[in-house]
Amino acid sequence: MTAEQLLAAPAAALPTLRGAVTGLPSYVPGRRSAGADFAALASNESHYEPLPAAITAVAEAAGKMNRYPDMAAVELRERIARHLGVTPNEVAVGPGSVGVLQQIITGLCDAGDEVIFAWRSFEAYPILVELAGARPVRIPLDHLEGHDLSAMAAAVTERTKVILLCTPNNPTGVPISHDRIEAFLGAVRSDILVVIDEAYVEYADAGSGPDSLALYRRYPNVCILRTFSKAFGLAGLRVGYAVAAPAIAEGLRRTALPFSVSALAQKAAIASLDAGEEMAARVAAVKEERIRMAAELEAQGWTLQPSQGNFLWIRADETLLATLVEAFNGAGIMVRAYQGDGVRITVADAASNDRVLRILAAHVA
């Protein structure tokens, strides 16, 4: 066929993506910059480098990168189990808590099933639900930027399979108390999996949120979801985990992408758990800065809800949001803007936090 004939030939039909994929919103990560003067405060990462023990473990494991990792992550699951006082059969791991959450949705939801969650909350929730062909049910936050559990309970239908409770909530930082979750669990069916997403639990003050392990032991339909990406400083390695009833945890392991948690990530996670005291000291420093920033912002005239994460949330309408984002960009500070809702700012080192405070002092609503 000549070039002229090729150009004149009708275009061949290409494979088409599923409708659930073509209509899917893209996950928006925190912005990046290689500039040394930029403060990257958009992704809630730990501003500390990985724990020394984790770096050593990765370096040692790197020499065996030609081998597949342990697909069952036996050593890591055993270490997590000892850390929490559960059995390895109750633990499933994945590439970050978002990877484990995808395993949860995939394992429990058929097309048309419903997943209830607060909104605004973690942006990946509706994406993972729609990707599975299930229906996301968004319940607006209450006036205190927290979960409206009464409205969530009222939204349960016969198609409800999973309920997601993010505590402390991302991006608002508001926790859900133990008593409120316990009352909620007593009000929903036992065949609904209630996922307590605790990505930021290490930063929460004692008693501010639930004793999730106690709830799990009393209510077998509870699933605890955690990550090594935040306080443990392993965001670049992608490792998270769930604690669930053995039959559910086994199902989550079956739905995992084979070898999805690298050998380096497994070794680094184990080493990070072993260095618990050092990690706790880093968390304490972040919490001190969070308290200092919140007090200063309230003195400036900002209205904040107490955050239990490693970030602060400022509610802002479109006009104020645009003003703040422009000011932060101009000052070389990357924050996370949520269109129509507000801005989330990661708590970092004192010098970066002072830069944030100076910007906000000049733009009090």
Side-chain angles (χ1 to χ4, degrees), residues 34 68 161:
Y68 285 110
K161 287 294 184 69

Side-chain angles (χ1 to χ4, degrees), residues 109-124:
C109 293
D110 287 316
D113 286 339
E114 296 174 349
V115 179
I116 298 173
F117 50 87
W119 196 253
R120 181 175 292 272
S121 194
F122 183 34
E123 271 193 298

